[in-house]
Amino acid sequence: VKLLEESDGDALEASLAILYNLSMDPENHPAIIAAGAVPLLKRIVLAEGPHWTTALQLLRTLPV
């Protein structure tokens, strides 16, 4: 989650992909949310940068 805040480009894409894969297991949802991923993902979506669709897909997997 910290990489979402500090990364851009390829590193951000990789971070989103890893987090998305982790989110496929509902048991990981509380940890992802507790780590502060939701506000960062919302910021990525609202910025409408190159990775906003991936961030949106990830948000849709989380129970927020």
Side-chain angles (χ1 to χ4, degrees):
V1 171
K2 188 167 181 133
L3 286 174
L4 291 179
E5 190 171 22
E6 299 173 353
S7 301
D8 61 355
D10 292 340
L12 178 59
E13 184 177 355
S15 299
L16 287 168
I18 291 166
L19 202 55
Y20 183 78
N21 287 335
L22 289 170
S23 76
M24 291 297 101
D25 185 348
E27 290 185 16
N28 292 328
H29 291 177
I32 292 169
I33 293 168
V38 173
L40 296 172
L41 292 168
K42 287 180 180 179
R43 187 180 74 203
I44 293 168
V45 170
L46 292 174
E48 295 185 8
H51 306 294
W52 77 272
T53 55
T54 306
L56 183 60
Q57 289 174 341
L58 181 49
L59 278 171
R60 287 180 175 163
T61 66
L62 298 173
V64 290

